[in-house]
Amino acid sequence: MRMKLGMGLILLTAVATGACNKSDPTDPTVPASMATLDGAPQTGGTGDVAVAPLRVIVKNLAGDGVGGITVNWTVTEGGGTVAAATSVTSSGGIAAMTFTYGTAGRQVITATIVGLSGSPQTFVLTSTGGGGGGGGGNL
């Protein structure tokens, strides 16, 4: 009887321990990779705000989103602007940024987390020039 009880406790402990952490067994808060979620391609006029935000997702080793991670955003081509230099991932691991189109032509924006696999991520949008200085273009 004592042997059965002991084995039952060991089994129960193993099941409970496994159920507590569906994520990375070492530390689920440590980011392992970044990928583009959505936001490109888009087209809009100079001065227009892109209809959809640019979004990346940051995941841990188990593939779960990691919140509280700072993503750096930079416009590298086209003269447009991002709403801020950084954004922080949500509890689901998603970071978003609003973009305003620059001069006519190709617009390139990068999202970076230094040293992280999949970083940087690049978004390519197109400015048609002209523009109304207001709301957005085509997805």
Side-chain angles (χ1 to χ4, degrees), residues 71-74 81-87 97-98:
V71 177
N72 300 298
W73 297 87
T74 308
T81 58
V82 289
T86 63
S87 64
M97 184 54 59
T98 302

Side-chain angles (χ1 to χ4, degrees), residues 31 34 69-72 111-120:
M34 178 172 69
I69 305 300
T70 299
V71 177
N72 300 298
T112 306
I113 300 173
V114 176
L116 192 63
S117 175
S119 176

Side-chain angles (χ1 to χ4, degrees), residues 4-17:
K4 282 186 178 182
L5 181 59
M7 293 294 281
L9 285 175
I10 290 170
L11 180 59
L12 182 59
T13 302
V15 170
T17 302

Side-chain angles (χ1 to χ4, degrees), residues 21 23-30 60-62:
N21 188 2
S23 295
D24 175 26
T26 54
D27 188 346
T29 65
V30 175
N60 62 18
L61 287 174

Side-chain angles (χ1 to χ4, degrees), residues 22-128:
K22 72 175 185 72
S23 295
D24 175 26
T26 54
D27 188 346
T29 65
V30 175
S33 66
M34 178 172 69
T36 298
L37 191 57
D38 53 28
Q42 294 186 65
T43 301
T46 301
D48 289 344
V49 175
V51 173
L54 311 178
R55 299 189 320 159
V56 295
I57 187 163
V58 177
K59 296 181 179 182
N60 62 18
L61 287 174
D64 299 320
V66 180
I69 305 300
T70 299
V71 177
N72 300 298
W73 297 87
T74 308
V75 177
T76 57
E77 187 179 330
T81 58
V82 289
T86 63
S87 64
V88 177
T89 59
S90 67
S91 61
I94 298 171
M97 184 54 59
T98 302
F99 175 73
T100 302
Y101 292 95
T103 58
R106 180 176 146 110
Q107 313 283 296
V108 180
I109 306 92
T110 58
T112 306
I113 300 173
V114 176
L116 192 63
S117 175
S119 176
Q121 288 294 308
T122 302
F123 296 82
V124 179
L125 286 73
T126 303
S127 173
T128 58

